[in-house]
Amino acid sequence: MAGLALPAAAQQRPAPRPEPTQEGDQQPDATTAQAPEQEPKTPPAPLTFGLAGPYLAARMATVENNFIAAARYFVQAVAHDPEDRFLQDSALVALVSAGDIDRAVKLSDQIATEGAPTEFSGLIQRAELAHSGNWQGLLDSLDTKADGAAPEADLLDGMLSAWALLGAGRAQDALQEFEDLASGTPGVAPMVNYHLALARAMVGDYEGAETLLADPATGAHVLGFTARAEVLTQLDRRDEAVAMLDNIPGLEAEPQLLALRNRIADGEPVSFDVVKTAADGISQVFLTLSTALATSPEPEPLSLIYARLAVWLSPDTAEARLMMAQLLQDRQQFDLAEPEFEALRRMGQMRPVAELGRIDALSRADRRDEAEKAALALTAAYPDLPQAWIAQGDLLRQTEKFEQAIPAYDKAMALLDDAPQEAKWFPLYARGIALERAGQFERAEQDLLAAIELRPDQASLLNYLGYSWIDRNVNLDRGLEMIQKAVELSPDDGYIQDSLAWAYFRLGRFEEAVEPMERAIGTMSQDPLVNDHLGDIYWMVGRHREAEIQWQRALSLKPTDAGDVDPDRIRAKLERGLDAVLAEEKASGHQPQGSAPIEQPQAANAN
């Protein structure tokens, strides 16, 4: 698309989604920081007054994708310098991103009244003209022919112009404009032809619409499938519509398509309503551009702007709401995304694939309560969807509710009974973990072995069973072989290096344990368990001072009794040494599982 660009303050990329962190590894909350006390007569810092303060606050909020705060501060900044075009555009971007489009319209009108409109304020005004149905006003604002520019010079303006012509009752001109735009810009012809198909269907040319939508490059997406099925039904070709929908992979995960398919098959009335008005068509333009930008190698901030405008123009278009919700979710703005997901649920448009992504995103953001509620809602809405039960089991397992996770995995495995074997390895692995942590090792072992049979080269799976065997003093040789293979498959995985080192420790091969444990600490220096393990290994090879340093390091990382590291045991090792602690534990008969070298590994070997 030619022309439109965001101000630099609005072009910050969302931060990469963080991996789940260890409990307690929290970033400090900036809102709780206390400023040092000042003397009563000390003047405040200059940046707290005038333009600089709100501008810097707005920039920081933009970097953090805090659109509501960014909008508030940019509006304050504009009040201090109402002629700054950069600030005006930045305020508009933040307002639209935050969903406050009415205020954005007022600001864009104010900018136009002052005689210095920006390109972005012009976009907002054109969207408002479409929203109010002022088609001639929209055409006048575009004025693509008056200045001698060809309609295809700008993809966005060209499609807005075509839909505005249709809204103004000039159907033939509208269709011709779409055709000229498609032929003049071949690289985007499928995108334009999709809109041409919608326009043809709106004016009753279903044959022409079907010809365009039958091309996979034009219609092979959810809205394209929906439009084509509705068009075929208008042509009384219901059997073709049903067959087309039945051939869509994963149809069962698209409830709106499945419901449409059943209505068509049952002979129920079906109208063409993908677009009902020219405003719906322009909403689809914004949605098309939003989708293209969001799926590009470097997603653009404009994708959220276009999605917001698409929903504003056509609030009942579920695809637009879903796109907006997912873009907000990707930017970690869950409080803004949730109303959109809730709207989809009210519309009966809950999408399993999108909900699974939402559950995962909430979990990664440590919003586990919300994630669990979403998982429960998904299993209630789609009780026959195994992925929903797997997601619920994963959440319960991640929060150490292992007993509760097992029935969820059981339900998933029952639903996967007739599924391809490849689909079963992960739920078997996940259920095996839950069973092992719940103390049901016999069942866990069966699941883990079954999963390994399906995925013999899955490093984390080999590591888990191998470590579990060595931890229990069974199948020692085979367990060690599994862990060694896991290291070969994933040499940079700190957890697997830790497992190999600890397996050597348990087998009394202390010198061999040093190198893999030092590798593990190189990638997991903030993990108290790995630091504790390295301390034990150093002690056993006579490096007592280094062992004490590692134990002190483990304590500094705030281990809790609820985790895998007992801080009281570490303190005892610092006070009396590992040898004394192991002797005391052996004498008392209360030695923690897997914490000591195995005395006679050769006598315990099996398999």
Side-chain angles (χ1 to χ4, degrees):
M1 182 188 66
L4 186 61
L6 295 185
Q11 293 189 35
Q12 302 292 339
R13 296 282 188 257
R17 181 177 297 168
E19 293 298 320
T21 57
Q22 296 294 316
E23 185 175 354
D25 189 14
Q26 304 290 334
Q27 296 298 317
D29 183 355
T31 63
T32 62
Q34 298 296 316
E37 291 185 2
Q38 297 178 335
E39 294 295 328
K41 294 184 179 180
T42 301
L47 293 183
T48 61
F49 288 114
L51 171 62
Y55 171 71
L56 292 175
R59 286 298 299 268
M60 180 60 70
T62 300
V63 169
E64 296 173 347
N65 292 317
N66 187 343
F67 304 122
I68 293 176
R72 180 171 67 251
Y73 290 124
F74 272 126
V75 168
Q76 290 177 14
V78 169
H80 285 286
D81 190 353
E83 297 182 359
D84 190 306
R85 292 162 63 88
F86 171 82
L87 291 178
Q88 291 169 345
D89 263 4
S90 296
L92 288 173
V93 169
L95 285 166
V96 175
S97 298
D100 197 348
I101 298 180
D102 289 341
R103 287 183 69 195
V105 168
K106 290 179 181 178
L107 179 56
S108 65
D109 289 343
Q110 175 186 328
I111 293 170
T113 300
E114 293 168 354
T118 66
E119 194 167 6
F120 194 73
S121 70
L123 173 68
I124 303 303
Q125 287 194 299
R126 293 194 291 276
E128 196 281 328
L129 290 167
H131 189 263
S132 62
N134 185 350
W135 304 117
Q136 190 55 53
L138 178 54
L139 289 168
D140 291 342
S141 74
L142 293 165
D143 198 17
T144 55
K145 294 184 179 180
D147 59 5
E152 63 268 25
D154 188 319
L155 175 62
L156 173 59
D157 283 357
M159 289 201 288
L160 292 181
S161 175
W163 280 112
L165 286 167
L166 193 61
R170 297 164 58 184
Q172 199 58 46
D173 292 341
L175 298 178
Q176 187 62 53
E177 183 122 350
F178 277 126
E179 290 174 358
D180 291 346
L181 191 59
S183 62
T185 50
V188 295
M191 181 187 299
V192 177
N193 281 334
Y194 168 68
H195 287 269
L196 174 58
L198 298 183
R200 287 194 177 281
M202 262 191 68
V203 299
D205 181 9
Y206 298 118
E207 289 284 0
E210 156 60 11
T211 299
L212 291 165
L213 292 170
D215 182 354
T218 298
H221 48 84
V222 170
L223 281 171
F225 293 136
T226 302
R228 189 180 178 205
E230 292 180 354
V231 164
L232 285 169
T233 305
Q234 310 315 304
L235 294 169
D236 201 23
R237 294 159 61 182
R238 288 177 177 258
D239 290 345
E240 291 181 55
V242 171
M244 182 270 295
L245 291 171
D246 283 341
N247 285 329
I248 298 173
L251 178 64
E252 67 282 355
E254 296 291 347
Q256 78 287 9
L257 287 179
L258 189 58
L260 176 61
R261 182 252 181 233
N262 292 337
R263 285 167 51 212
I264 295 172
D266 293 342
E268 296 180 19
V270 172
S271 59
F272 177 79
D273 60 6
V274 172
V275 289
K276 299 183 284 294
T277 67
D280 290 339
I282 291 179
S283 171
Q284 291 267 341
V285 170
F286 287 131
L287 176 58
T288 298
L289 295 174
S290 175
T291 303
L293 292 174
T295 56
S296 64
E298 295 185 9
E300 291 281 347
L302 267 172
S303 58
L304 177 59
I305 301 296
Y306 288 143
R308 283 287 194 193
L309 294 176
V311 172
W312 187 56
L313 289 171
S314 188
D316 294 331
T317 301
E319 290 299 320
R321 284 197 178 274
L322 179 58
M323 172 59 68
M324 184 166 67
Q326 290 177 321
L327 290 171
L328 289 166
Q329 175 180 277
D330 289 345
R331 289 155 174 78
Q332 302 285 295
Q333 294 302 301
F334 298 104
D335 292 337
L336 289 175
E338 183 54 34
E340 307 310 321
F341 283 114
E342 179 59 34
L344 288 167
R345 287 192 288 272
R346 289 196 305 270
M347 296 162 63
Q349 293 283 349
M350 179 188 288
R351 310 292 177 83
V353 173
E355 284 295 300
L356 289 169
R358 172 171 166 255
I359 291 165
D360 179 65
L362 287 168
S363 176
R364 287 174 177 270
D366 203 26
R367 298 168 72 116
R368 298 294 175 84
D369 289 344
E370 294 169 72
E372 283 191 36
K373 290 177 183 177
L376 287 169
L378 185 58
T379 54
Y382 296 96
D384 295 329
L385 187 67
Q387 292 83 358
W389 293 101
I390 293 170
Q392 183 174 316
D394 287 347
L395 283 169
L396 293 167
R397 174 173 55 83
Q398 290 160 9
T399 53
E400 300 188 357
K401 300 174 183 177
F402 303 113
E403 293 282 1
Q404 298 174 48
I406 294 168
Y409 289 128
D410 289 343
K411 179 68 174 178
M413 290 305 303
L415 291 169
L416 288 169
D417 188 49
D418 296 327
Q421 292 299 305
E422 177 63 21
K424 300 179 182 180
W425 82 268
F426 180 78
L428 282 167
Y429 173 32
R431 186 172 67 178
I433 294 174
L435 287 163
E436 187 269 335
R437 298 302 298 270
Q440 302 181 46
F441 187 66
E442 188 173 334
R443 276 192 68 195
E445 187 178 41
Q446 292 174 0
D447 275 357
L448 295 169
L449 285 169
I452 288 173
E453 186 174 345
L454 296 172
R455 277 290 188 94
D457 292 328
Q458 177 55 241
S460 58
L461 180 52
L462 293 167
N463 176 63
Y464 198 93
L465 181 55
Y467 186 89
S468 297
W469 275 341
I470 290 175
D471 211 31
R472 287 167 173 77
N473 195 19
V474 298
N475 298 339
L476 298 178
D477 290 340
R478 188 178 176 192
L480 180 59
E481 288 173 3
M482 282 187 172
I483 298 172
Q484 288 170 332
K485 183 177 179 180
V487 169
E488 292 175 6
L489 292 167
S490 189
D492 297 325
D493 189 312
Y495 288 103
I496 296 177
Q497 290 285 354
D498 173 68
S499 294
L500 178 60
W502 202 242
Y504 284 139
F505 175 89
R506 294 275 286 142
L507 296 172
R509 296 160 61 173
F510 305 122
E511 293 290 348
E512 292 175 83
V514 173
E515 182 181 354
M517 190 57 76
E518 288 179 339
R519 286 179 179 271
I521 206 72
T523 60
M524 302 167 63
S525 61
Q526 301 298 310
D527 190 312
L529 178 62
V530 177
N531 283 276
D532 185 37
H533 279 175
L534 182 56
D536 287 8
I537 290 169
Y538 278 161
W539 183 274
M540 288 301 191
V541 296
R543 296 162 64 174
H544 291 182
R545 178 58 186 149
E546 291 170 272
E548 291 168 354
I549 291 172
Q550 291 304 137
W551 290 331
Q552 290 168 344
R553 168 70 175 164
L555 280 179
S556 74
L557 295 170
K558 310 296 184 186
T560 64
D561 293 330
D564 293 324
V565 182
D566 180 356
D568 290 335
R569 189 171 186 269
I570 295 177
R571 294 186 188 99
K573 288 187 288 188
L574 283 166
E575 290 173 3
R576 300 188 294 281
L578 178 58
D579 296 328
V581 170
L582 291 175
E584 292 164 5
E585 290 173 343
K586 181 179 178 181
S588 68
H590 296 295
Q591 196 164 65
Q593 180 177 299
S595 63
I598 299 167
E599 293 184 0
Q600 295 180 319
Q602 70 278 7
N605 273 332
N607 295 342

